[in-house]
Amino acid sequence: MALQHDLDLTPYNTFGIAARADRAAPFRNADELRGLLADPMVSGNPLLILGGGSNILFTQDFHGTVLRNEVPGIAVVEEDDTHVRVRAGAGETWHEFVLHCVARGWGGVENLSLIPGKVGAAPMQNIGAYGVEIKDTFDSLEALRIADGEVVLFSKEACAFGYRESFFKREGKGLFVILSVTFRLNKEPVLNTSYGNIQEELAKKGITEPTIRDVSEAVIAIRQSKLPDPVELGNAGSFFKNPVVPTELVDRIRAQEPDVVAYPAGPGMQKLAAGWLIERVGLKGYRNGPQGVHDRQALVLVNHGGATGQGVFALSEHVLRTVKERFGVELEREVNIV
Ligand code: FAD
Ligand code: EPU
């Protein structure tokens, strides 16, 4: 694969931030990737593995090589009467993979419909939505170790998934390239319609006995009603995580703000809705030039046109500071800052 030089990254990040990479190349399999890693222009220099660019903020040009994951293929690796194990190439589009499963009646990923990005990035932050995370159907993944080019098989335990967390975001950061992910899906799906307004959305359509396709469509409709489409308004989804804090802190906030939104998160801990906190400090819909807080979902920062990575980062600092001052809660960024 020939290296491209001085690549414009604007089309490769859903924030639509203008940044450039010194070098870039796509790869479709482990051999192509090994070939690129052995290139003297590449080895020893900074590397960035890029999927759909939907969870990344470029705050500067990238002085290294961007390797664009285009590993294809979806295949059944094992099947019995009740379950199917399916391997997806890391370069497959996540939502296309979900639709592939829904069309075949394989349950387990339908609540994760319409999440942007590629399959290979899904384990990075254990993507989640509407009461489901990929760890719930995850079987294993294959990743190439950058140091020696070996392909290593990771079990679910080895991935150490947590809320928007995994081994690959922490200890394994920058050490592996995920090549494929295998899921174990259910041919006799157990639906999860308890989260948010899925039930409401189904009732609107008069559906009383939903299929996985109905759940997928309900999730798509809810997402489209609140999350901005990156094609129209640049963004990277939730910019911050929902913070997990001690119950005493939630109680202190509730004493002043009885409608604070919090969910149980293990003994003595609760998860606060960061979108609620940001809205309550008055920043929902706030704009600082072309950088803004979305007016329908305060957890999402947006590019109104011509935003810079530095500008979005500065806005995120302002949000962090304001929430901290008002509620004593430390928000953490979810988006990968480059
Ligand atoms: P990228 O942004 O390309 O990369 C993300 C990180 O993973 C980078 O650090 C990159 O270096 C690394 N990486 C990517 N691919 C590989 C690989 N093959 N091997 C090793 N490292 C790799 N996320 C949720 O969890 N839930 C949601 O509901 C959700 N909704 C969203 C809605 C919108 C409108 C948007 C724009 C984003 C949303 N996201 C959500 C965030 C995002 O879609 C996910 O994090 C997604 O998995 C990112 O995939 P990507 O291919 O775009 O990753
Ligand atoms: N809320 C507000 N104001 C807002 C936004 C939210 O008050 O501006 C309140 C809502 O009313 C609701 C609560 O906060 O009571 C939760 O809101 P929502 O259901 O929209 O979900 P979220 O917690 O804001 C999380 C994920 C999303 C995921 C949705 C649905 C994180 C960081 N974000 O958002 O993931 O799609 O739940 O499950 O956990 C992403 O990671 O990029 C992402 C979009």
Side-chain angles (χ1 to χ4, degrees):
M1 276 293 145
L3 285 170
Q4 296 164 268
H5 292 268
D6 193 26
L7 181 80
D8 174 15
L9 292 168
T10 316
Y12 297 106
N13 72 100
T14 61
F15 249 122
I17 298 290
R20 305 194 79 83
D22 287 358
R23 292 169 295 280
F27 62 93
R28 288 187 304 258
N29 53 49
D31 282 340
E32 284 185 7
L33 180 56
R34 287 190 193 101
L36 285 164
L37 292 172
D39 187 309
M41 298 278 281
V42 175
S43 69
N45 287 314
L47 275 183
L48 175 69
I49 314 303
L50 198 58
S54 66
N55 205 25
I56 221 158
L57 177 70
F58 289 110
T59 57
Q60 55 192 324
D61 291 338
F62 185 70
H63 296 301
T65 310
V66 169
L67 296 175
R68 293 191 289 109
N69 154 35
E70 292 185 356
V71 180
I74 299 179
V76 171
V77 289
E78 197 178 57
E79 189 167 9
D80 62 24
D81 289 347
T82 57
H83 288 86
V84 57
R85 283 205 302 130
V86 192
R87 181 168 53 226
E92 292 289 333
T93 300
W94 173 260
H95 181 58
E96 295 294 325
F97 170 67
V98 171
L99 294 181
H100 181 98
C101 300
V102 168
R104 285 157 182 78
W106 302 334
V109 287
E110 58 280 0
N111 293 44
L112 303 175
S113 296
L114 212 61
I115 297 182
K118 296 190 174 183
V119 167
M124 287 296 295
Q125 68 158 8
N126 177 28
I127 56 167
Y130 298 94
V132 171
E133 294 179 328
I134 67 147
K135 73 166 172 39
D136 304 328
T137 49
F138 179 91
D139 178 89
S140 56
L141 66 76
E142 286 182 323
L144 183 138
R145 189 162 45 215
I146 292 171
D148 60 6
E150 284 294 310
V151 174
V152 181
L153 184 70
F154 282 80
S155 67
K156 180 145 98 180
E157 291 65 36
C159 292
F161 292 123
Y163 164 61
R164 298 295 192 272
E165 277 296 347
S166 76
F167 165 82
F168 299 97
K169 230 182 147 173
R170 295 188 304 263
E171 306 88 319
K173 195 174 162 69
L175 303 181
F176 291 91
V177 182
I178 297 169
L179 295 172
S180 70
V181 186
T182 301
F183 297 88
R184 184 169 183 269
L185 302 171
N186 201 335
K187 290 182 178 177
E188 295 167 355
V190 182
L191 301 183
N192 181 340
T193 58
S194 56
Y195 185 97
N197 25 13
I198 297 185
Q199 295 277 5
E200 204 179 293
E201 195 59 40
L202 292 169
K204 248 200 257 173
K205 288 183 163 173
I207 297 169
T208 49
E209 286 181 27
T211 61
I212 57 171
R213 186 185 297 274
D214 295 327
V215 174
S216 168
E217 286 172 1
V219 166
I220 291 171
I222 300 167
R223 293 181 67 95
Q224 285 173 334
S225 73
K226 33 180 161 177
L227 289 166
D229 178 351
V231 173
E232 287 157 17
L233 192 59
N235 76 94
S238 300
F239 200 89
F240 305 96
K241 293 185 190 180
N242 285 325
V244 176
V245 301
T247 300
E248 299 89 77
L249 178 53
V250 179
D251 290 343
R252 277 209 299 281
I253 297 173
R254 185 163 288 123
Q256 298 165 14
E257 308 275 359
D259 58 337
V260 62
V261 181
Y263 318 90
M269 302 299 280
Q270 294 193 35
K271 189 189 271 185
L272 282 164
W276 183 93
L277 296 171
I278 299 168
E279 179 169 353
R280 192 48 60 101
V281 298
L283 289 174
K284 192 173 187 169
Y286 171 82
R287 272 182 81 150
N288 181 10
Q291 294 81 217
V293 178
H294 189 44
D295 58 4
R296 274 178 287 152
Q297 226 302 359
L299 206 42
V300 179
L301 302 188
V302 295
N303 174 1
H304 287 288
T308 61
Q310 296 280 354
V312 174
F313 190 80
L315 174 61
S316 74
E317 292 281 7
H318 178 61
V319 172
L320 282 169
R321 225 178 10 253
T322 312
V323 168
K324 170 82 177 161
E325 276 166 19
R326 170 79 175 274
F327 293 117
V329 174
E330 203 81 64
L331 293 181
E332 188 189 335
R333 293 180 184 87
E334 190 221 76
V335 169
N336 298 281
I337 311 294
V338 175

